[in-house]
Amino acid sequence: MNELETGTVVWHDLLTHDVELAKRFYGDLLGWDYEVEHAEHFVWTGKAADYPLIVAGEVAHGGFVEIGREETAHWLAFVAVPDVDSAAARVAGLGGKVVRPAFDIPGVGRTSVVADPGGALICPFLRSHDFPAPRGTFVWDELLTDEPDAAVLFYAGLFGWNSEPVDAPDDRTNGGGVLFRNTGGELVAGMRAKAGGEPDRWVTYLRAQDLNATIAAAKRLGAAAGSEGAPHGRLTDPAGAEFGLAVSSRRAA
């Protein structure tokens, strides 16, 4: 792994109970293509399954994973680390929880699913291939939480992220947010206060060439508006997974 990748979000999976619906929705909305990999023993499900890779610009950026209908559909971000097992071992001491111990994805890499102190899910990840990290399709990841101090300490300890407060006049609570940078100084993610009663979670933002037109198209394709008070561009796809649209990473922050 390139050392400059450490602490950078390098992959995304959509966990959804209707993969075919998701493929149609995001394909029609954003022009994504797919390459389907088949595994006789898919590590996410423990059984034979297809894994559609999200392809844009002839580069794979993420994938779709089928989950049970009793589970909540959601996007999941993968953050580059030099050692997944070491990262997972630090989680409990940082106030989080290991939801799924480290496991290998053949031909892709090694990862683990962890929850931060507020319960938001994220994955430390070490790729096993030589292809560069994809860029330009997934443009931002934002943590929604009402425990910002605990989150700052957790992600500093887990990924080495440095944090900096920012003014966000459109924020509905606490008057601002936080930007996260990796150890190389690259802007990698953000954090803002969430509305009371909502769970802590990460929201993934996808690139839109024309924000308003893409939001309108998403709604025509079956997307719903985000929760009350959500910023412009945050939606829920037809299978119930929350996502955002933005023209650049800073717009989402």
Side-chain angles (χ1 to χ4, degrees):
M1 182 185 72
N2 187 325
E3 285 299 319
L4 295 178
E5 286 183 11
T6 299
T8 303
V9 180
V10 295
W11 192 258
H12 292 85
D13 273 345
L14 174 64
L15 278 63
T16 178
H17 49 71
D18 195 331
V19 166
E20 291 305 314
L21 176 62
K23 286 169 62 179
R24 289 194 301 272
F25 173 76
Y26 291 102
D28 290 345
L29 181 65
L30 300 171
W32 290 355
D33 294 317
Y34 307 101
E35 293 181 6
V36 179
E37 301 285 341
H38 181 78
E40 290 302 319
H41 182 81
F42 189 40
V43 291
W44 279 112
T45 62
K47 59 184 180 182
D50 289 336
Y51 179 49
L53 295 174
I54 299 162
V55 178
E58 300 183 349
V59 176
H61 296 258
F64 292 155
V65 177
E66 188 95 25
I67 58 174
R69 290 192 174 273
E70 71 282 1
E71 301 178 64
T72 301
H74 62 280
W75 282 98
L76 191 58
F78 293 70
V79 180
V81 297
D83 188 323
V84 170
D85 296 77
S86 175
R90 295 195 298 273
V91 168
L94 295 168
K97 178 182 178 181
V98 175
V99 176
R100 181 163 184 175
F103 61 97
D104 293 316
I105 306 174
V108 177
R110 187 166 178 80
T111 191
S112 174
V113 183
V114 307
D116 70 15
L121 300 178
I122 201 162
C123 297
F125 176 68
L126 176 62
R127 62 185 174 92
S128 59
H129 56 77
D130 295 328
F131 300 110
R135 300 279 181 149
T137 294
F138 295 86
V139 297
W140 193 244
D141 289 274
E142 183 174 75
L143 175 64
L144 305 181
T145 182
D146 54 11
E147 300 182 31
D149 293 341
V152 164
L153 292 174
F154 178 82
Y155 290 104
L158 185 63
F159 298 136
W161 284 355
N162 298 305
S163 61
E164 58 185 70
V166 293
D167 293 328
D170 61 336
D171 240 25
R172 59 188 185 276
T173 55
N174 293 347
V178 167
L179 298 178
F180 290 115
R181 295 183 184 273
N182 64 14
T183 55
E186 181 182 3
L187 188 64
V188 292
M191 177 174 67
R192 72 167 70 218
K194 66 178 177 65
E198 295 181 353
D200 283 21
R201 63 207 185 275
W202 281 95
V203 177
T204 292
Y205 281 76
L206 314 174
R207 182 177 297 281
Q209 296 297 324
D210 182 318
L211 183 60
N212 291 331
T214 308
I215 292 171
K219 291 179 179 178
R220 288 196 299 271
L221 292 167
S227 57
E228 184 177 355
H232 189 56
R234 206 162 78 207
L235 304 164
T236 301
D237 73 20
E242 187 176 26
F243 71 102
L245 293 167
V247 296
S248 71
S249 60
R250 292 307 297 267
R251 280 290 297 276

